[in-house]
Amino acid sequence: MDQTLELIREARLMKGNEALAEAAIRAGVQAYFGYPITPQSEILEYLSREMPKRGGIVLQAESELAAINMIYGASGAGARVMTSSSSPGISLMQEGLSYIASAQLPCLVVNVNRGGPGLGTIQPSQGDYFQATKGGGHGDYHLIVLAPASVQEMADFVFDAITLAEKYRNPALILADGALGQMMEKVELPEEGSLEYPEKSWATVGKPKERERNIITSLFIQPEKMEKINLELQEKYRRLKEEVRYELVSTDDAEILMVAYGLSARICQKTIDLAREKGIKLGLLRPITLYPFPEEAVASFASKVDFYLVVEMNAGQMIEDVKLSVNGSRPVFHYGRMGGMISSPEEVLSKVEEILETQSVSNTSTGR
Amino acid sequence: MHKAHEIIFAGFGGQGVLSMGQIIAYAAMIEDKEVSWMPSYGPEMRGGTANCTVIVSDSKISSPIISTFDSAIVLNQPSLDKFEKAVKPGGLLLFEESAIINLPTRSDIEILSIPANEEALKLNMKRVANMILVGAFLEKRPIVKIENILNALKKVLPERHHHLIPVNKDALAKGKELVNEEIKL
């Protein structure tokens, strides 16, 4: 009995949204601004209940536009801040995110992706990949994007995203989906207080005599100055490549490489088991950082596999990054469901078998 | 026993379908197993059908999204119509007797009808019908120990509801008893 209670204390069964929210408190987030939207409302609910008790500020803004601009202000003042929303709400935040990226401020944004376009559906989707990884708003900028694939990672990546955001003074985005937000799994929560607050000499917190005043702005009216800022940003994105993260599953002897992130990667793992029972040597590369994208890792398989299959819950978005990485040296196929529908492991396997069928036909016809 | 057991719980919102899945997931976690609990959370939850998928496994769970199940526990007709065909051959279909008009027809799975609502009324607690079904299910497929279901209840229920644990215990025992009576017939 005592041992039983011990186990419960160490590991908890939590929804992804709740695990993420609890992790945010433990990561020392000082202020949360947000507006409710399914399927991520548990984040705001949990933080509203728990965070004020533990020293943080939670404010339900009048809209997502207001929330992201509160983030801009609070981050400029040196606070560790976060917001969360789901697809339509994240679209509303794009102007603010562009400003924050330009002003080079750290913050954490969470998108629990739902089906779109438009107001869409509350079911899970990966339809926001382009928006998340290509900037999303106007101008030449990128967010740092992490894609969790389990409730454990929903919690862990809060720490990772904040660390990266503060190291590079850049907004970081956790791109999850409705299923990861709503499902429960066992989670061991990161230790509270283990994430130190870095020195923020740039923050607008009063001007001591020994330095010039700090200015936080995204308005650089002279093009020479604006170009300089852009060059700085591009230099930062080049440095960011050091932070690339990905996971390999059953790739040692793989003849076909699937590339999938988040929930799709979990589905593909089951597809691997089903395929290997039939003697089909499937492997998986799971990008963990969607930006920076693990292009070298993806390319390194071109000499080892017959083809790539990108599996996403969208019409084909990450496939563009995979194709750029592979650079025409191997065929790259896509399988995806849209609008909140989720592929089953069996459907993905059927796609693999269908490609194998057509590949063998075309190989025969070309005399190979 | 299977290395992994994949279960769907399905019925109307308000029948305790999501809780049944959660309590089994908690109990499995207490036994240090891997678990996933995936609810339907669509608009259908408001008065329509609700369901959750639970996977209990000795090893890491790959996909929490699955389309066939080792067991289905069904509490209404639309769910039976939808999930009877999703039970793996040799699997278990357990349903609440009074909720089903058109009976299942498959012959390659084990089918069990449990009068959970009727028995719950006899216990003066209509709401424990779901726990009668959990008791019956675990008698057929002992994937977690009953004592850990009770430990999980202690953990999940707020202190002010702990007086309900004995009636839940009775409901679990009743489920087990109904299965054994069924087999005797």
Side-chain angles (χ1 to χ4, degrees):
Chain A
M1 181 64 205
D2 286 337
Q3 197 197 347
T4 301
L5 285 174
E6 199 58 38
L7 278 171
I8 297 176
R9 245 199 307 276
E10 283 173 5
R12 289 162 73 171
L13 189 66
M14 291 180 102
K15 280 190 167 195
N17 285 335
E18 290 170 348
L20 182 142
E22 174 60 31
I25 298 173
R26 291 173 180 232
V29 170
Q30 293 161 307
Y32 172 93
F33 308 105
Y35 187 83
I37 180 170
T38 306
Q40 65 80 54
S41 293
E42 291 87 354
I43 298 174
L44 172 57
E45 287 165 10
Y46 190 98
L47 290 176
S48 303
R49 197 172 62 234
E50 298 297 328
M51 206 157 139
K53 286 188 234 167
R54 289 150 78 177
I57 294 167
V58 174
L59 197 145
Q60 182 176 324
E62 66 268 35
S63 73
E64 288 85 350
L65 277 80
I68 195 66
N69 284 293
M70 289 173 185
I71 292 285
Y72 186 10
S75 181
R80 184 172 280 169
V81 291
M82 78 174 270
T83 184
S84 64
S85 190
S86 180
S87 309
I90 296 289
S91 289
L92 285 167
M93 292 183 182
Q94 292 305 325
E95 181 199 39
L97 279 169
S98 173
Y99 283 37
I100 294 169
S102 178
Q104 302 203 53
L105 296 176
C107 66
L108 170 61
V109 181
V110 179
N111 181 1
V112 183
N113 200 165
R114 62 188 245 179
L119 206 47
T121 162
I122 60 177
Q123 299 302 319
S125 163
Q126 296 179 327
D128 299 352
Y129 178 91
F130 281 151
Q131 184 196 58
T133 60
K134 309 300 173 190
H138 58 282
D140 272 326
Y141 76 94
H142 287 282
L143 310 177
I144 298 163
V145 187
L146 293 170
S150 63
V151 172
Q152 185 65 55
E153 288 185 348
M154 289 287 274
D156 292 344
F157 287 6
V158 170
F159 280 63
D160 298 339
I162 290 173
T163 304
L164 290 170
E166 289 177 348
K167 180 176 173 187
Y168 291 93
R169 284 182 60 188
N170 200 73
L173 178 83
I174 292 179
L175 184 62
D177 67 68
L180 286 169
Q182 294 298 322
M183 69 189 271
M184 286 177 121
E185 286 185 317
K186 197 156 65 172
V187 56
E188 283 171 28
L189 291 159
E191 199 184 326
E192 185 151 6
S194 55
L195 205 56
E196 281 179 22
Y197 294 98
E199 181 67 32
K200 292 176 176 174
S201 58
W202 44 263
T204 48
V205 284
K207 181 192 161 309
K209 282 203 174 73
E210 59 273 16
R211 67 159 165 78
E212 288 295 299
R213 66 189 176 124
N214 286 339
I215 299 173
I216 287 170
T217 181
S218 75
L219 177 70
F220 304 97
I221 204 84
Q222 291 170 308
E224 292 80 5
K225 178 74 177 151
M226 189 73 254
E227 185 182 50
K228 192 170 159 285
I229 298 290
N230 269 282
L231 290 168
E232 264 177 50
L233 290 177
Q234 294 306 316
E235 170 55 26
K236 176 161 77 178
Y237 304 145
R238 267 190 294 280
R239 280 188 285 123
L240 251 180
K241 288 186 182 182
E242 286 169 24
E243 309 290 351
V244 159
R245 285 174 63 189
Y246 57 91
E247 184 193 12
L248 299 175
V249 181
S250 305
T251 51
D252 286 347
D253 62 343
E255 291 167 359
I256 302 161
L257 187 73
M258 294 186 291
V259 186
Y261 69 93
L263 187 71
S264 294
R266 294 284 295 272
I267 291 161
C268 287
Q269 283 180 38
K270 179 114 180 172
T271 306
I272 290 174
D273 297 340
L274 298 172
R276 286 184 175 257
E277 280 169 25
K278 293 184 167 187
I280 302 170
K281 288 182 178 165
L282 269 185
L284 170 71
L285 188 153
R286 171 171 81 95
I288 293 171
T289 51
L290 299 182
Y291 190 90
F293 187 74
E295 46 197 26
E296 285 177 18
V298 170
S300 72
F301 283 90
S303 56
K304 300 174 198 156
V305 300
D306 296 332
F307 62 86
Y308 292 75
L309 174 64
V310 183
V311 181
E312 304 174 77
M313 299 191 293
N314 61 40
Q317 300 192 14
M318 185 174 70
I319 188 177
E320 296 195 359
D321 288 325
V322 173
K323 280 189 165 177
L324 282 170
S325 307
V326 174
N327 202 17
S329 60
R330 278 289 177 276
V332 180
F333 298 92
H334 186 263
Y335 186 72
R337 299 284 297 267
M338 291 166 280
M341 297 300 290
I342 305 174
S343 312
S344 69
E346 290 83 1
E347 273 175 58
V348 178
L349 181 60
S350 298
K351 179 67 184 180
V352 171
E353 288 175 322
E354 182 196 311
I355 299 165
L356 282 170
E357 188 80 10
T358 52
Q359 291 280 97
S360 70
V361 168
S362 67
N363 285 351
T364 312
S365 64
T366 53
R368 276 177 68 190
Chain B
M1 202 184 73
H2 288 115
K3 207 174 160 201
H5 201 85
E6 301 172 335
I7 320 159
I8 178 107
F9 298 88
F12 289 121
Q15 286 180 310
V17 169
L18 301 183
S19 317
M20 291 165 86
Q22 255 183 48
I23 211 74
I24 285 180
Y26 263 110
M29 194 182 74
I30 290 171
E31 294 181 12
D32 212 19
K33 293 183 168 126
E34 297 297 324
V35 290
S36 76
W37 174 88
M38 176 72 80
S40 63
Y41 64 92
E44 73 267 24
M45 277 175 84
R46 294 171 194 114
T49 57
N51 68 67
C52 66
T53 301
V54 173
I55 305 175
V56 173
S57 177
D58 295 335
S59 54
K60 201 173 167 216
I61 294 163
S62 53
S63 175
I65 307 281
I66 46 177
S67 48
T68 60
F69 307 95
D70 297 304
S71 300
I73 290 109
V74 163
L75 286 84
N76 68 4
Q77 189 70 49
S79 299
L80 184 91
D81 298 344
K82 190 170 175 187
F83 294 114
E84 181 186 354
K85 56 182 175 293
V87 179
K88 294 176 196 171
L92 172 70
L93 171 62
L94 193 151
F95 65 88
E96 201 296 307
E97 192 171 270
S98 65
I100 302 302
I101 298 161
N102 303 318
L103 295 170
T105 55
R106 280 179 64 177
S107 55
D108 62 337
I109 56 173
E110 188 174 359
I111 295 171
L112 208 59
S113 170
I114 298 291
N117 284 341
E118 189 188 320
E119 292 296 333
L121 285 174
K122 285 187 201 161
L123 290 171
N124 288 320
M125 184 70 77
K126 204 179 154 195
R127 281 178 297 166
V128 296
N130 62 343
M131 292 304 279
I132 294 177
L133 292 169
V134 168
F137 166 66
L138 291 176
E139 182 62 10
K140 291 302 288 183
R141 297 286 187 269
I143 56 167
V144 292
K145 295 194 185 84
I146 293 281
E147 61 177 272
N148 285 328
I149 295 282
L150 295 169
N151 285 332
L153 280 172
K154 278 179 209 151
K155 168 76 187 167
V156 180
L157 289 175
E159 199 84 30
R160 66 181 191 281
H161 289 147
H162 276 200
H163 67 281
L164 295 172
I165 290 174
V167 69
N168 277 282
K169 191 178 175 182
D170 292 348
L172 290 163
K174 178 52 79 177
K176 174 181 168 149
E177 188 187 315
L178 289 169
V179 167
N180 291 323
E181 277 172 19
E182 178 96 359
I183 287 166
K184 260 181 263 161
L185 286 174

